[in-house]
Amino acid sequence: MLDHDLRHHGDAEVRDGGEDLTDLAVNVRAGTPPRWLRERLAAALDGLAGYPDDRAAHRAVAARHGRPVQEVLLTAGAAEAFVLLARTTRARHAVVVHPQFTEPEAALRDAGHTVRRVVLRAEDGFRLDPRAVPEAADLVIVGNPTNPTSVLHPAADLARLARPGRTLVVDEAFMDAVPGERESLAARRDLPGLVVLRSLTKTWGLAGLRVGYVLGDRECVAALRRAQPLWAVSAPGLTAAEACCGPAALAEAEEAAHRIAADREHLLSRLAEFDDVEVAAPAHGPFVLVRLPGAASVRERLRDLGFAVRRADTFPGLSPDWLRLAVRDPATTDRFAVALSKALGG
């Protein structure tokens, strides 16, 4: 079963000599964090002598999603949330829907759990039929929109997976890149066992700060909090969480989501020029998944031409013929199209 490198992530493509490449491997929005957020973070440095006080950040996140504060837990990125879930769950039949972000399965295995995979097929557009999840599953983890396929599953389909005695974890790390956040379950409090994870990394460019959060019922959140180290989120991280949940920030994120959608359409139009490139469509995230013959060699040639792209064969369910491309501005996409033509021998 351990046939994929679950610990490989896109940042590996731009380390150790890749710093000067145009980065299409990491799904963090370019040009971030914005100036106003950097200024808020800089101001927070004056308080570093004191221990972090997370109360205001928790209130801001709770208000943003219309939930009681007891149903929110700030974490050091969504990755910490997966570790906390893996350490606290008593699930006996854990299921991870693939292809998706690999940290959830890695965390479960590290915590000693046996994991069953439900692998979605390219022939089905990587779409999830809820009936594919075994009835016995008491922990189900799925991404929406899913990394790396860029599939946006209907909220109604995911809601069908919720039931008493089962924890349903929906990774919405990229949901704020979807205009209107349609298909989000973040505000749903009526679904038994639902846990939603969010990240500030992608839209706000805070990968180095490590801040995300969990939304769930009080009992689940309390259990995760007990397993979490004290002061797990830094004071600047808490400042960022509070700032990014304000009305002006939410309006800016929505504007960015529409811009990403337009930039993605431009990328798709350029990719359509290549007969050998197959796109997993429709795409709804700030990235697209493509299949092309000899993708591993093409990826290396693209590096020589100045572009880093994400290998996708580390995701269960994907072969070495797949690559993931981050959505960038049209000018960058046009430069990439020229490089791709050369890498394909055109």
Side-chain angles (χ1 to χ4, degrees):
M1 180 68 76
L2 296 180
D3 50 351
H4 294 78
D5 182 0
L6 301 180
R7 295 297 190 187
H8 180 89
H9 299 294
D11 59 320
E13 308 285 355
V14 290
R15 292 200 305 260
D16 300 330
E19 298 86 354
D20 294 330
L21 300 176
T22 297
D23 183 4
L24 305 186
V26 175
N27 292 324
V28 173
R29 184 164 64 102
T32 53
R35 177 186 292 274
W36 65 265
L37 183 53
R38 294 199 305 270
E39 291 174 350
R40 287 283 297 270
L41 294 174
L45 299 181
D46 291 338
L48 290 187
Y51 286 97
D53 182 348
D54 62 11
R55 291 174 296 177
H58 277 91
R59 288 194 297 268
V61 174
R64 184 242 198 275
H65 293 290
R67 306 180 71 118
V69 71
Q70 295 87 350
E71 296 181 357
V72 176
L73 180 66
L74 271 292
T75 59
E80 187 202 14
F82 288 123
V83 172
L84 296 176
L85 284 163
R87 290 177 178 174
T88 58
T89 184
R90 297 181 180 178
R92 301 182 63 184
H93 302 283
V95 169
V96 178
V97 178
H98 285 291
Q100 77 151 343
F101 184 50
T102 53
E103 279 301 311
E105 180 173 328
L108 285 167
R109 291 188 179 280
D110 287 347
H113 297 283
T114 299
V115 178
R116 175 172 176 176
R117 295 173 178 172
V118 171
V119 180
L120 308 183
R121 305 189 314 156
E123 294 78 5
D124 300 325
F126 295 112
R127 271 156 181 71
L128 173 64
D129 182 342
R131 294 172 297 182
V133 175
E135 286 292 326
D138 51 3
L139 173 65
V140 179
I141 302 180
V142 60
N144 202 40
T146 305
N147 170 24
T149 63
S150 210
V151 167
L152 184 65
H153 300 292
D157 285 350
L158 298 184
R160 287 172 56 192
L161 294 173
R163 62 197 58 181
R166 170 186 287 177
T167 300
L168 170 62
V169 180
V170 182
D171 176 8
E172 293 190 357
F174 292 97
M175 186 60 77
D176 58 357
V178 177
E181 295 194 1
R182 62 187 188 278
E183 313 304 344
S184 173
L185 293 177
R188 292 288 297 270
R189 304 180 61 224
D190 59 317
L191 297 175
L194 175 65
V195 177
V196 175
L197 306 187
R198 286 291 187 103
S199 170
L200 301 183
T201 294
K202 322 303 178 187
T203 289
W204 298 110
L206 298 174
L209 194 57
R210 311 308 307 139
V211 57
Y213 54 88
V214 179
L215 305 171
D217 64 50
R218 297 182 184 213
E219 292 75 14
C220 174
V221 168
L224 297 176
R225 188 184 301 276
R226 288 192 296 270
Q228 187 182 43
L230 290 174
W231 312 295
V233 182
S234 68
L238 295 171
T239 295
E242 183 180 1
C244 293
C245 285
L250 295 179
E252 182 176 328
E254 179 68 9
E255 180 182 350
H258 284 279
R259 187 163 58 250
I260 288 168
D263 291 346
R264 184 178 59 242
E265 288 306 308
H266 183 71
L267 173 60
L268 294 174
S269 71
R270 294 308 309 265
L271 292 173
E273 299 171 8
F274 300 94
D275 293 336
D276 290 338
V277 177
E278 172 191 351
V279 178
H284 294 278
F287 48 87
V288 299
L289 182 67
V290 300
R291 179 162 56 184
L292 65 163
S297 297
V298 171
R299 172 175 156 270
E300 291 303 322
R301 289 195 289 272
L302 284 169
R303 289 184 68 85
D304 293 338
L305 293 165
F307 287 87
V309 300
R310 170 64 154 94
R311 58 183 286 198
D313 60 325
T314 61
F315 294 98
L318 297 180
S319 71
D321 290 334
W322 293 92
L323 299 173
R324 191 190 69 194
L325 312 174
V327 172
R328 297 290 186 246
D329 63 274
T332 300
T333 291
D334 289 341
R335 290 194 297 108
F336 172 71
V338 173
L340 180 60
S341 178
K342 295 177 180 177
L344 291 171

